């Protein structure tokens, strides 16, 4: 694991502190009710059900009351309303009214989480937001519009935080520029922590030219054995395909990323930035052994401590 803090690389070899777990010998006492509840913000194209296993793990294994914002795949078609906005075509789209529906779903989930905290006897408990993929920068929009007094942590998983460089078409049509300009800049403080987790699953490659992608350096052992049956041309083709996706996000193809979001785009200056080897972008198409994603048990163990700090 590699950790970046304040833009400087640091070794992440130090073991994380022990985490209370219902599966460990440590019993969760009544004090576990003081743990911050968690709200999960789904990524673009995902639905709430994609995060069911993560929700259950946080609830049952770690005693964290967890709520997933209620989103279906069809809900994302609401974003098509932006097509009639001239700002969409200019690349200067603003979140209102296009994203109002999503932010309202998040607020409903936050209210539900607060109710769960109130049932535990502490109505003043703050909560943690976990934003997966686009859910991470959408969380920043939520915090801008609804305030941060009830939030202690924003933890993002594979979020494309940064707008693409000039000359690259912005797939958000200006929304990421809006976030960068108008949302509070992340500063990791005891009161409000920003933690950005990036995955290093595959290195992209340029569309043309020689390419010998390194696919073994960071993959789990089971995935390496599986990759051994894949011919180099097929591996290279995959790296070139992934590289084109990376290029649409950060302007470069030959960078590391989680298969969808480049590592460099998933970090934010001022946040506690973490890179995890062998981590795939999405719960859809993932496999805990061969293609683990950010919420897979073995990966979750590497960032879970931030929900307790």
């Amino acid at each position: 694991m590699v950790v970046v803090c304040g833009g400087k690389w640091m070794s992440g070899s130090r073991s994380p502190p022990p985490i209370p777990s219902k599966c460990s010998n440590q019993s969760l006492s009544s004090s576990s009710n003081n743990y911050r509840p968690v709200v999960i913000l789904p990524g673009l194209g995902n639905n709430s059900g994609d995060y069911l296993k993560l929700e259950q793990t946080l609830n049952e294994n770690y005693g964290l009351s967890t709520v997933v914002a209620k989103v279906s795949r069809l809900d994302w078609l609401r974003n098509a309303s932006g097509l009639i906005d001239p700002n969409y075509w200019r690349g200067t789209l603003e979140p209102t009214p296009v994203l109002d529906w999503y932010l309202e779903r998040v607020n409903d989930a936050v209210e539900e989480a607060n109710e769960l905290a109130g049932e535990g006897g502490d109505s003043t408990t703050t909560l943690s937001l976990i934003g997966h993929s686009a859910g991470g920068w959408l969380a920043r929009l939520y915090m801008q519009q609804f305030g941060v007094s009830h939030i202690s942590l924003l933890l993002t998983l594979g979020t494309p935080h940064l707008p693409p460089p000039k000359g690259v078409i912005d797939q958000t049509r200006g929304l990421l520029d809006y976030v960068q300009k108008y949302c509070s800049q992340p500063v990791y403080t005891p009161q409000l922590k920003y933690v950005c987790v990036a995955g290093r699953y595959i290195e992209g490659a340029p569309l043309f030219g020689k390419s010998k992608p390194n696919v073994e350096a960071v993959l789990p052992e089971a995935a390496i054995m599986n990759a051994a049956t894949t011919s180099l041309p097929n591996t290279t083709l995959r790296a070139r395909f992934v590289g084109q996706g990376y290029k649409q996000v950060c302007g470069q193809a030959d960078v590391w990323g989680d298969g969808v979001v480049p590592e460099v785009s998933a970090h934010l200056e001022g946040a506690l930035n973490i890179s995890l080897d062998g981590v795939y972008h999405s719960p859809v198409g993932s496999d805990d052994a061969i293609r683990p994603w950010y919420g897979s048990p073995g990966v979750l163990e590497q960032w879970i401590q931030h929900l307790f700090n």
Side-chain angles (χ1 to χ4, degrees):
M1 180 178 73
V2 178
V3 178
V4 188
C5 183
K8 296 181 180 179
W9 293 91
M10 303 190 305
S11 170
S13 59
R14 186 172 61 179
S15 299
I19 304 301
S21 170
K22 291 183 179 178
C23 296
S24 70
N25 292 328
Q26 288 178 274
S27 61
L28 284 171
S29 65
S30 59
S31 63
S32 66
N33 290 332
N34 295 326
Y35 295 153
R36 295 189 301 265
V38 176
V39 173
I40 298 174
L41 285 69
L44 179 65
N46 289 108
N47 65 25
S48 304
D50 295 335
Y51 305 92
L52 179 60
K53 186 175 180 180
L54 174 58
E55 179 186 15
Q56 291 175 337
T57 300
L58 294 176
N59 271 315
E60 298 171 7
N61 292 5
Y62 295 97
L64 292 166
S65 297
T66 304
V67 178
V68 182
K70 293 179 174 57
V71 176
S72 72
R73 298 197 204 285
L74 289 178
D75 280 329
W76 293 103
L77 295 177
R78 297 168 183 260
N79 291 2
S81 64
L83 294 171
I84 63 175
D85 188 335
N87 288 312
Y88 176 93
W89 304 102
R90 299 189 190 107
T92 57
L93 191 63
E94 296 188 359
T96 300
V98 177
L99 295 174
D100 286 350
W101 69 272
Y102 184 94
L103 300 181
E104 289 169 1
R105 301 289 180 85
V106 174
N107 196 52
D108 289 343
V110 166
E111 290 180 352
E112 182 179 347
N114 284 332
E115 289 177 4
L116 292 174
E119 291 173 3
D122 186 359
S123 60
T124 64
T125 300
T126 57
L127 54 84
S128 301
L129 299 181
I130 298 178
H132 170 239
S133 196
W137 60 261
L138 285 163
R140 294 182 66 193
L141 280 174
Y142 170 80
M143 293 161 68
Q144 181 221 13
Q145 294 192 17
F146 289 83
V148 299
S149 62
H150 56 302
I151 299 170
S152 293
L153 168 71
L154 170 58
L155 187 146
T156 65
L157 305 172
T159 292
H161 285 291
L162 305 178
K166 290 183 178 180
V168 177
I169 296 175
D170 181 4
Q171 298 178 62
T172 71
R173 307 309 299 153
L175 291 172
L176 277 176
D177 271 320
Y178 181 95
V179 172
Q180 286 295 92
K181 290 178 181 177
Y182 299 108
C183 293
S184 297
Q185 294 304 304
V187 179
Y188 187 95
T189 68
Q191 294 74 33
L192 178 55
K193 303 175 181 68
Y194 289 84
V195 179
C196 301
V197 184
R200 288 169 54 86
Y201 180 75
I202 182 172
E203 183 180 21
L207 188 59
F208 302 105
K210 293 184 178 181
S211 174
K212 191 175 181 180
N214 181 359
V215 296
E216 296 187 0
V218 300
L219 296 182
E221 182 177 354
I224 294 173
M225 296 177 63
N226 184 64
T229 64
T230 304
S231 65
L232 183 59
N234 287 339
T235 302
T236 301
L237 181 63
R238 180 176 61 171
R240 294 187 195 279
F241 177 79
V242 169
Q244 292 311 294
Y246 291 166
K247 190 173 182 180
Q248 291 300 310
V249 179
C250 72
Q252 288 183 264
D254 53 346
V255 294
W256 280 97
D258 61 15
V260 175
V261 175
E263 178 184 14
V264 66
S265 299
H267 287 164
L268 274 174
E269 184 177 355
L272 174 63
N273 293 311
I274 302 171
S275 292
L276 301 179
D277 290 340
V279 178
Y280 180 65
H281 179 76
S282 176
V284 178
S286 66
D287 182 284
D288 289 345
I290 297 176
R291 191 185 294 113
W293 83 288
Y294 296 97
S296 294
V299 180
L300 171 65
E301 291 175 357
Q302 300 181 65
W303 55 259
I304 186 67
Q305 67 268 22
H306 298 287
L307 299 182
F308 294 92
N309 293 341

